[in-house]
Amino acid sequence: MTQSKPSTQAAHPLTLIPGPVEFTDEVLAAMATPSQSHVSPQFVEVFGDALALLRQLFLNTDKRAQTFAIAGAGTLGWDFVAANLIEPGEDALVLHTGYFADSFADCIATYGGKPTQLKAPIGDIVPLDAIEAALKAKKYKVVTITHVDTSTGVLSDIKSIAALVRAVSPETLVIVDGVCSVGVEEIRFDNWDLDLVLTAPQKAIGVPAGLSIFIASGRALDVFRARKAPPASYYASLAKWLPIMQNYEAKKPSYFSTPPVQNIHALLASLKQILAVPLADRFAAHARMSDRVKSTIASYGLKQVAVREGYQANGMTAVYLPDGVVLPELLPRIAKRGIVLAGGLHKDIATKYFRIGHMGVSVTDEDREDFDKALAAIKESLAETGYAV
């Protein structure tokens, strides 16, 4: 998809987990920006450009919506939803495809919301007919969807789910946890009529952790403005942050809490790289790498956690261990070959599988051989454990 000059980074193990991912030299150089005032003309320009380019990443042109980039983790996006869009006692339908739905539900409950989880079997999706039945049975303020659950590698069909919500319960807000999908999977914020998509920079966006990034629709902001009570959080308050983001995007200095200047510089550097090619090409490159990784893993006789074809993430693969092989035997062997992979995360199967991340520059830079090395390391390490590949 792209080619680059050889990296100037010091030799290091390749981090091929579902985030953080490898970073480009340009992004790391941007993180080394000298100290700069957060209200200086130079930084205001950078921040405004980054917020505008985030609109392009989310395929958004409706100016009633607003992009946000705030110091924090992707997790902070849950707090913004729970503290601003759900009032105490209001119901939330949480579609569960793995570990992160449990966490989102816990966050909603922390702020007084009433989450109801609709759980899929491990490795599967929540079917549309079950979602429809739930929406008809009760009025929900929001529906939350983990687009890609990093614990299972399950990819949810947010386009179809959003269309169903609009048809059955049009006032219900559609909230997407896109931490492991933004920049990999197609997300058409305007066309699919979504209300809030939250993400983090350290996955497919390819920027060191430290930001909570999200976009909120005009409808979501109107729901917030109609709250009966103030937001339940001081820091995670749309009342505090909305004018700040609007001002920065308009290239006006503003202040509520100091933004992470260097992270914003890095975000802008990465967004410029990402958007230098059509997003459709980027999505296609990740789909090709996903097919390669998944077909190679299958050729080793290994099975994915995500069971349904067409509903498997393009940015990661969760792989069951073969009989007789355990994580403490396999992952250290892979690490000795310079490849860092992740263990399991889903509490019910955590010791039974491992995870490979294939996102960002490791995928889009055609001169890199990251996955030649990774797939070979997996095969060789499996053989060392006694498993016949």
Side-chain angles (χ1 to χ4, degrees):
M1 184 177 152
T2 62
Q3 293 182 330
S4 66
K5 58 187 178 182
S7 174
T8 60
Q9 296 173 40
H12 62 279
L14 288 173
T15 303
L16 301 179
I17 64 176
V21 301
E22 291 289 311
F23 306 123
T24 66
D25 289 356
E26 292 79 4
V27 165
L28 292 181
M31 284 294 289
T33 300
S35 183
Q36 188 176 60
S37 168
H38 53 287
V39 292
S40 67
Q42 296 82 5
F43 178 67
V44 170
E45 187 77 15
V46 167
F47 204 170
D49 287 347
L51 291 169
L53 289 184
L54 281 173
R55 291 185 184 273
Q56 295 183 34
L57 183 65
F58 289 111
L59 295 172
N60 159 252
T61 58
D62 181 357
K63 295 299 184 180
R64 293 182 64 243
Q66 181 60 52
T67 50
F68 295 75
I70 297 169
T75 306
L76 181 61
W78 296 339
D79 287 76
F80 271 96
V81 171
N84 294 275
L85 301 181
I86 306 168
E87 298 200 52
E90 290 184 329
D91 289 296
L93 183 63
V94 177
L95 307 186
H96 186 292
T97 51
Y99 174 93
F100 289 95
D102 287 329
S103 300
F104 205 160
D106 187 26
C107 182
I108 290 168
T110 298
Y111 287 92
K114 295 169 60 180
T116 297
Q117 293 204 52
L118 200 55
K119 293 194 175 187
I122 295 174
D124 208 348
I125 59 169
V126 180
L128 289 175
D129 58 356
I131 300 170
E132 182 175 4
L135 291 171
K136 288 180 176 178
K138 183 189 289 188
K139 186 69 174 179
Y140 289 97
K141 185 70 173 291
V142 306
V143 170
T144 74
I145 314 156
T146 308
H147 195 188
V148 170
D149 196 293
T150 320
S151 71
T152 59
V154 171
L155 172 67
S156 292
D157 181 359
I158 58 172
K159 179 182 179 181
S160 296
I161 294 170
L164 174 64
V165 174
R166 293 290 163 246
V168 177
S169 182
E171 293 181 358
T172 298
L173 299 179
V174 178
I175 310 297
V176 177
D177 180 338
V179 169
C180 199
S181 68
V182 172
V184 174
E185 312 289 352
E186 183 179 16
I187 300 176
R188 296 187 173 275
F189 187 79
D190 291 0
N191 290 351
W192 296 354
D193 207 7
L194 306 174
D195 288 301
L196 190 142
V197 178
L198 63 94
T199 192
Q202 71 272 13
K203 297 182 185 280
I205 294 176
V207 174
L211 291 170
S212 174
I213 296 168
F214 60 95
I215 181 170
S217 71
R219 178 171 47 231
L221 294 175
D222 286 344
V223 166
F224 163 71
R225 295 183 183 106
R227 283 182 64 93
K228 298 180 182 68
S233 171
Y234 180 76
Y235 185 74
S237 167
L238 287 176
K240 298 288 197 303
W241 282 111
L242 178 59
I244 303 299
M245 296 298 120
Q246 290 171 330
N247 284 343
Y248 269 114
E249 191 172 3
K251 306 294 179 68
K252 300 175 183 177
S254 199
Y255 177 73
F256 164 56
S257 177
T258 305
V261 171
Q262 282 66 33
N263 295 69
I264 299 296
H265 274 275
L267 175 62
L268 179 59
S270 183
L271 290 172
K272 286 180 176 179
Q273 291 179 322
I274 290 170
L275 296 168
V277 299
L279 281 173
D281 292 352
R282 181 178 180 84
F283 300 150
H286 282 88
R288 287 192 299 271
M289 182 58 75
S290 179
D291 288 344
R292 180 188 171 194
V293 170
K294 288 170 171 58
S295 62
T296 302
I297 288 298
S299 76
Y300 296 167
L302 305 180
K303 295 181 179 180
Q304 293 184 60
V305 174
V307 297
R308 195 181 294 255
E309 189 172 348
Y311 297 89
Q312 297 162 335
N314 288 305
M316 63 160 293
T317 305
V319 186
Y320 278 117
L321 294 164
D323 290 342
V325 178
V326 295
L327 287 174
E329 288 183 348
L330 182 63
L331 292 186
R333 285 183 164 87
I334 295 171
K336 287 180 180 178
R337 290 169 166 82
I339 305 294
V340 178
L341 302 183
L345 183 60
H346 194 294
K347 62 182 180 181
D348 294 336
I349 55 170
T351 62
K352 298 179 180 179
Y353 74 109
F354 65 97
R355 296 173 298 145
I356 310 165
H358 29 89
M359 290 178 264
V361 66
S362 292
V363 172
T364 58
D365 187 339
E366 294 175 347
D367 288 338
R368 295 179 72 116
E369 299 176 342
D370 293 8
F371 291 97
D372 295 333
K373 298 172 184 175
L375 293 169
I378 293 169
K379 184 175 183 179
E380 293 165 5
S381 299
L382 284 168
E384 282 188 359
T385 70
Y387 174 74
V389 177

